[in-house]
């Protein structure tokens, strides 16, 4: 079955450490997105990519970086510059104006 | 700037007690209004996309409607398994790509 796979499900980061969250899709979708979800807040857009080798900043891109070397993959790196990285991270993809498909999420905690 | 406001924040119903969730929005050129269901610790699950005022869509006990300013998610004779957070989002024709989300309505259906 087609879908989006996020890994790992849980991730722990030490202060000053960079970590990378994986997102892979086999839906043949062109566009991919990263969102952050905090308790009591709506999902907020971090980065998005509409085609391979191209991506744009969303509303809260500071402290994050991405790459899009393959259509199927859109990894997110949380850098040490992100001062409050503890959150639930969601990856999504879409083709055209249809509904976005979301992955199952990665919960990142700073220890 | 696109905005989405959902009400109420939380709603507790008895099994079989029908109700409606509200999603008010302002957007520059609506490309779609989306409803999702999210269970704790999981990614959002797609329910409906509405594209123009007057459009309605149904799925089991759920019915979504759209006007030029708001959308309603009607829940008829809900069951305990309908308990979840329901998210509303819009995609606009201007500015950055991606969905703008409301904060969600946390729905609890008591047996």
């Amino acid at each position: 079955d087609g879908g989006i796979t996020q890994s790992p499900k849980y991730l722990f980061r030490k202060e000053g450490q960079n970590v990378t969250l994986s997102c892979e899709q086999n839906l043949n979708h062109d566009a991919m997105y990263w969102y952050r979800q905090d308790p009591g807040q709506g999902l907020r857009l971090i980065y998005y990519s509409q085609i391979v080798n191209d991506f744009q900043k969303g509303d809260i891109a500071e402290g994050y970086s991405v790459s899009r070397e393959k259509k199927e993959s859109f990894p997110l790196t949380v850098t040490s510059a992100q001062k409050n990285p503890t959150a639930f991270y969601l990856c999504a993809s879409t083709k055209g104006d249809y509904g976005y498909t979301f992955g199952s999420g990665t919960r990142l905690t700073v220890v | 700037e696109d905005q989405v406001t959902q009400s109420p924040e939380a709603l507790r119903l008895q099994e079989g007690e029908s109700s409606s969730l509200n999603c008010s929005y302002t957007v520059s050129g609506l490309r779609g209004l989306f409803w999702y269901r999210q269970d704790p610790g999981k990614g959002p699950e797609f329910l409906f996309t509405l594209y123009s005022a007057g459009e309605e869509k149904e799925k089991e006990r759920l019915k979504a409607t759209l006007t030029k300013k708001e959308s309603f998610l009607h829940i008829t004779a809900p069951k305990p398994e309908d308990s979840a957070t329901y998210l509303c989002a819009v995609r606009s024709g201007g500015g950055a790509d991606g969905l703008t989300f409301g904060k969600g309505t946390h729905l609890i259906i008591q047996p």
Side-chain angles (χ1 to χ4, degrees), chain B residues 52-88:
Chain B
S52 57
E55 190 174 359
E56 299 182 352
K57 288 190 177 175
E58 289 188 65
K59 179 180 178 181
E60 295 180 355
R61 296 177 291 282
L62 300 176
K63 178 180 177 180
T65 62
L66 181 65
T67 72
K68 289 186 178 179
K69 294 183 179 181
E70 58 190 350
S71 176
F72 292 93
L73 184 65
H74 307 279
I75 302 178
T76 301
K79 298 181 178 181
E81 53 262 41
D82 295 321
S83 298
T85 297
Y86 290 85
L87 303 174
C88 175

Side-chain angles (χ1 to χ4, degrees), chain A residues 31-48:
Chain A
M32 297 186 73
Y33 307 81
W34 274 106
Y35 287 88
R36 169 180 172 143
Q37 187 173 35
D38 296 281
Q41 296 201 40
L43 278 70
R44 292 181 290 167
L45 183 64
I46 304 173
Y47 267 98
Y48 65 97

Side-chain angles (χ1 to χ4, degrees), chain A:
Chain A
D1 288 339
I4 296 182
T5 301
Q6 289 189 242
S7 62
K9 188 174 177 67
Y10 299 97
L11 187 58
F12 298 91
R13 193 195 93 167
K14 295 180 180 179
E15 294 285 347
Q17 188 179 45
N18 292 355
V19 292
T20 298
L21 285 60
S22 172
C23 177
E24 302 278 334
Q25 56 100 356
N26 61 1
L27 299 165
N28 196 32
H29 285 174
D30 298 309
M32 297 186 73
Y33 307 81
W34 274 106
Y35 287 88
R36 169 180 172 143
Q37 187 173 35
D38 296 281
Q41 296 201 40
L43 278 70
R44 292 181 290 167
L45 183 64
I46 304 173
Y47 267 98
Y48 65 97
S49 168
Q50 293 175 318
I51 57 172
V52 173
N53 293 324
D54 187 49
F55 48 83
Q56 280 77 42
K57 294 181 180 180
D59 301 320
I60 54 166
E62 185 175 352
Y64 300 97
S65 66
V66 294
S67 63
R68 185 88 186 274
E69 298 178 0
K70 300 186 301 181
K71 186 175 183 178
E72 301 77 19
S73 179
F74 191 40
L76 174 74
T77 296
V78 184
T79 75
S80 56
Q82 171 50 240
K83 298 307 178 188
N84 184 24
T86 294
F88 190 48
Y89 290 86
L90 289 159
C91 180
S93 70
T94 191
K95 192 177 185 76
D97 283 339
Y98 300 105
Y100 288 40
T101 301
F102 281 83
S104 56
T106 293
R107 186 164 301 280
L108 174 63
T109 304
V110 175
V111 296

Side-chain angles (χ1 to χ4, degrees), chain B residues 4 6 22 24 26-27 40 69 79 88:
Chain B
V4 178
Q6 291 188 245
N22 178 262
S24 298
T26 56
V27 63
K69 294 183 179 181
K79 298 181 178 181
C88 175

Side-chain angles (χ1 to χ4, degrees), chain B residues 35-37 45-49 59 62 73 86-87:
Chain B
W35 282 99
Y36 286 87
R37 170 195 170 121
E45 175 189 343
F46 173 74
L47 294 174
F48 304 108
T49 306
K59 179 180 178 181
L62 300 176
L73 184 65
Y86 290 85
L87 303 174

